[in-house]
């Protein structure tokens, strides 16, 4: 075990040439980041999760009710033993051949069977009230942490001149504000890492899982080798658009369409400007070029920059989805459901009556209006 730890904490991987861990031990004159500090993130992540439960129950839910947001979920599929057996034991998305077989067996038209399966898939989805409460929690946290980050960074020299991220590196003292900022962000992403398995499921679950994993690695990595100064820039920059996104979602669920459209436009502008403009031209420029000039590369430097480039790849992916939503909004006249929606959409018209023999008449919607879906989530911090 001692050999494994010695290999993992190899100074020649983590630190610049001629720097040792002993050089970064805490003294009476200066405090430096210590790996054991990161253990604080686990109990704090649990506390954040408990605060979230209390907030959603006693703050967000009353706000949702005051806005007339109902707890009703999607339309329930009428009971049918044969279709239920196929749904639970065989497939939730029957192909054309199976649909034709079920049509003959039940004497239903194919369209009615497709509608039943769509309703059956949707009825397991969360209600609008649940989604509103989740978004309100995230909005509150993102607003708080972004505000804190701005107030902290405006007093630091490296916000105004990024070369200060590397002057006297790695002998840069750890301040109380910086320590709190880092541990809070890391704790939040650990809480998301675990709560995403119980939160609303979306189509990009795998992408978001990768995103949270990369965020945790980046925050941990930059803290251990004391790249915390540039890390704070990455965190604050990526937090800048998240509160706007969650605000747009809340307006969407409350059916304030004009406000939703305005907030989404603001979010899109801030997101694309910060992630495709400022991040590569400002942050990646300092981590790749200024640090090379002042400090020089070493193994963990390469890993850190590769993770930042991976984050940039995710930024490009989400920016593509945002532009895609914007193009649809222009053609439809409003922000509609996105490609990550947790509620399935369909252009097919639905019967207002339960599907039955030779159903061909009376149409309505499937209970999921265009304003009730999830807008694109771009939350990436050290991202997101």
């Amino acid at each position: 075990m001692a050999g494994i730890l010695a290999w993992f904490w190899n100074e020649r991987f983590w630190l610049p040439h001629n720097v040792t861990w002993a050089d970064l031990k805490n003294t009476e004159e200066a405090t430096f980041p210590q790996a054991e500090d990161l253990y604080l993130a686990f109990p704090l992540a649990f506390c954040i999760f408990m605060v979230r439960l209390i907030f959603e129950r006693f703050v967000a839910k009353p706000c949702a009710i005051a806005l007339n947001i109902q707890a009703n979920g999607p339309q329930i599929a009428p009971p049918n033993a044969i279709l239920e057996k196929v749904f639970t034991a065989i497939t939730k998305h029957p192909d054309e051949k199976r649909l034709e077989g079920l049509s003959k067996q039940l004497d239903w038209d194919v369209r009615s069977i497709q509608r039943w399966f769509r309703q059956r898939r949707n009825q397991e989805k969360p209600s609008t009230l649940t989604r509103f409460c989740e978004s309100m929690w995230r909005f509150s946290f993102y607003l708080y942490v972004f505000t804190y980050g701005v107030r902290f960074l405006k007093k630091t020299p490296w916000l105004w001149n990024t070369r200060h991220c590397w002057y006297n590196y790695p002998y840069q003292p750890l301040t109380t504000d910086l320590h709190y900022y880092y541990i809070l962000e890391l704790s939040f992403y650990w809480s998301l890492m675990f709560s995403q398995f119980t939160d609303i499921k979306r189509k990009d679950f795998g992408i978001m899982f990768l995103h949270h994993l990369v965020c945790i690695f980046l925050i941990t990595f930059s803290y251990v080798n004391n790249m915390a100064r540039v890390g704070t820039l990455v965190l604050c920059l990526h937090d800048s658009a998240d509160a706007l996104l969650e605000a747009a979602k809340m307006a969407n669920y409350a059916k304030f369409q004009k406000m939703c459209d305005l907030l989404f436009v603001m979010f899109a502008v801030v997101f694309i400007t910060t992630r495709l403009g400022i991040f590569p031209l400002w942050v990646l420029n300092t981590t790749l070029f200024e640090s090379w000039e002042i400090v020089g590369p070493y193994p963990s430097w390469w890993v850190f920059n590769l993770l930042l480039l991976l984050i940039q790849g995710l930024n490009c992916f989400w920016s593509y989805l945002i532009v895609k939503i914007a193009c649809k909004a222009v053609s439809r006249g409003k922000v509609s459901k996105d490609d990550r929606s947790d509620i399935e959409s369909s252009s097919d018209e639905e019967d207002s009556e339960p599907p039955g023999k030779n159903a061909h008449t009376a149409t309505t919607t499937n209970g999921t209006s265009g304003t009730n879906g999830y807008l694109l989530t771009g939350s990436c911090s050290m991202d997101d």
Side-chain angles (χ1 to χ4, degrees):
M1 179 60 68
I4 293 175
L5 289 175
W7 170 82
F8 181 81
W9 293 111
N10 189 308
E11 294 164 338
R12 298 286 59 81
F13 171 79
W14 287 97
L15 302 173
H17 186 61
N18 291 331
V19 180
T20 67
W21 291 119
D23 298 329
L24 298 177
K25 288 293 184 181
N26 292 334
T27 64
E28 293 183 359
E29 292 77 23
T31 300
F32 300 103
Q34 306 295 315
E36 54 266 26
D37 297 345
L38 299 175
Y39 289 125
L40 293 171
F42 294 104
L44 188 55
F46 175 76
C47 292
I48 288 175
F49 181 73
M50 297 306 296
V51 169
R52 171 187 172 174
L53 296 180
I54 295 171
F55 179 90
E56 291 186 356
R57 174 66 179 84
F58 295 103
V59 178
K61 187 174 180 180
C63 290
I65 294 174
L67 292 170
N68 295 319
I69 296 176
Q70 302 299 318
N72 298 333
Q75 183 177 344
I76 304 299
N80 187 291
I82 296 175
L83 296 181
E84 184 67 27
K85 183 177 181 180
V86 173
F87 182 88
T88 55
I90 302 177
T91 178
K92 297 181 180 181
H93 299 271
D95 56 23
E96 185 177 347
K97 183 177 180 180
R98 189 175 300 278
L99 287 171
E100 291 177 354
L102 290 171
S103 176
K104 294 177 181 179
Q105 184 177 358
L106 297 172
D107 198 19
W108 287 12
D109 63 276
V110 171
R111 189 175 172 188
S112 296
I113 297 174
Q114 289 176 321
R115 183 182 309 113
W116 188 94
F117 274 92
R118 184 162 52 250
Q119 292 175 348
R120 182 64 180 83
R121 290 192 297 266
N122 286 342
Q123 75 182 46
E124 297 179 350
K125 308 299 181 178
S127 66
T128 302
L129 186 144
T130 300
R131 292 186 232 122
F132 179 92
C133 291
E134 180 183 303
S135 289
M136 189 170 180
W137 157 249
R138 295 195 181 200
F139 167 79
S140 301
F141 182 86
Y142 288 140
L143 183 62
Y144 166 74
V145 77
F146 176 66
T147 303
Y148 180 88
V150 170
R151 292 181 63 186
F152 162 64
L153 283 171
K154 70 180 183 180
K155 299 180 292 185
T156 64
W158 60 87
L159 175 66
W160 314 106
N161 182 357
T162 53
R163 297 178 72 87
H164 281 278
C165 292
W166 313 108
Y167 291 151
N168 198 36
Y169 175 84
Y171 307 107
Q172 298 169 342
L174 177 70
T175 65
T176 302
D177 288 342
L178 194 155
H179 174 74
Y180 171 77
Y181 189 29
Y182 246 68
I183 296 301
L184 180 64
E185 289 272 15
L186 179 61
S187 302
F188 179 69
Y189 280 101
W190 270 120
S191 71
L192 288 182
M193 189 74 173
F194 296 116
S195 67
Q196 67 179 336
F197 294 98
T198 57
D199 284 345
I200 298 167
K201 296 296 187 297
R202 302 181 181 88
K203 294 179 182 179
D204 68 344
F205 175 85
I207 295 292
M208 290 304 296
F209 183 84
L210 173 64
H211 162 266
H212 297 330
L213 199 61
V214 172
C215 291
I216 290 171
F217 271 127
L218 268 172
I219 296 173
T220 303
F221 215 87
S222 59
Y223 188 85
V224 169
N225 65 2
N226 205 13
M227 288 186 179
R229 289 188 175 184
V230 74
T232 58
L233 299 180
V234 177
L235 287 167
C236 191
L237 187 67
H238 281 77
D239 286 338
S240 60
D242 293 337
L244 288 171
L245 172 64
E246 300 303 332
K249 289 181 184 181
M250 290 190 293
N252 191 30
Y253 302 142
K255 292 183 168 53
F256 299 152
Q257 191 61 51
K258 290 184 179 180
M259 181 181 295
C260 171
D261 293 346
L262 176 61
L263 288 168
F264 180 79
V265 169
M266 293 171 61
F267 158 73
V269 170
V270 173
F271 186 97
I272 294 174
T273 300
T274 55
R275 314 241 178 151
L276 298 189
I278 298 175
F279 181 66
L281 297 178
W282 187 48
V283 175
L284 291 183
N285 176 68
T286 193
T287 61
L288 288 170
F289 303 110
E290 292 179 348
S291 65
W292 182 295
E293 177 187 344
I294 299 172
V295 180
Y298 51 98
S300 68
W301 178 94
W302 289 101
V303 175
F304 181 71
N305 279 287
L306 285 174
L307 290 172
L308 287 179
L309 291 172
L310 178 57
I311 287 292
Q312 183 60 11
L314 293 174
N315 289 340
C316 292
F317 169 75
W318 279 308
S319 296
Y320 160 75
L321 292 183
I322 291 172
V323 171
K324 190 175 180 181
I325 296 170
C327 291
K328 289 181 179 179
V330 170
S331 61
R332 296 177 182 177
K334 66 179 181 179
V335 176
S336 185
K337 290 160 57 72
D338 73 350
D339 293 336
R340 308 174 6 104
S341 179
D342 53 293
I343 297 293
E344 298 181 22
S345 62
S346 172
S347 59
D348 292 341
E349 295 177 325
E350 305 290 347
D351 284 352
S352 56
E353 300 297 330
K357 181 177 179 179
N358 296 327
H360 292 287
T361 60
T363 60
T364 183
T365 64
N366 65 354
T368 60
S369 71
T371 58
N372 284 338
Y374 250 83
L375 294 170
L376 169 74
T377 295
S379 52
C380 291
S381 218
M382 204 119 156
D383 239 301
D384 254 312

